[in-house]
Amino acid sequence: MSTITTRPAVGTGTLPLAILGVLATVYGLLVIPVSILGGVHSLAVGGSFLLGAVVTTGWAGERLDPTPGQQRRAALALATVGMLLTVVFVLVNGATFESGEAVSS
């Protein structure tokens, strides 16, 4: 007697990661005309979140054949990379602005 186990089509963290990934990617595309480096950085954040969302799907589970624990760890690692890149982005951009100085021509 054989038992067939099926993986869920969508993992637990798929939707939040996908939403964050799409938002960061769209923001990166909007920033590219102003700052290429900032736009690429935001695209890297979005790509990391989107890749983390893809890893949690049943499709990736069937194609790559990881254990559920490996899927969770991979998604967590990619989400952590995305969060670290977000923190670096905020720190770098926050350090480049002068506080309270008005620019006049």
Side-chain angles (χ1 to χ4, degrees):
M1 178 183 225
S2 70
T3 59
I4 298 174
T5 58
T6 59
R7 296 177 188 251
V10 177
T12 306
T14 303
L15 188 60
L17 279 177
I19 290 170
L20 284 173
V22 167
L23 289 175
T25 302
V26 169
Y27 180 73
L29 291 173
L30 292 173
V31 169
I32 282 181
V34 177
S35 169
I36 293 176
L37 186 59
V40 170
H41 193 116
S42 294
L43 287 173
V45 170
S48 176
F49 286 142
L50 285 173
L51 191 56
V54 168
V55 167
T56 63
T57 62
W59 175 85
E62 291 173 2
R63 298 288 185 269
L64 303 174
D65 200 29
T67 64
Q70 289 172 331
Q71 267 185 302
R72 281 190 299 274
R73 280 191 298 275
L76 182 61
L78 287 163
T80 303
V81 167
M83 288 305 297
L84 288 174
L85 286 172
T86 302
V87 168
V88 168
F89 182 79
V90 169
L91 289 176
V92 168
N93 282 334
T96 59
F97 291 110
E98 298 290 329
S99 61
E101 288 188 25
V103 177
S104 62
S105 55

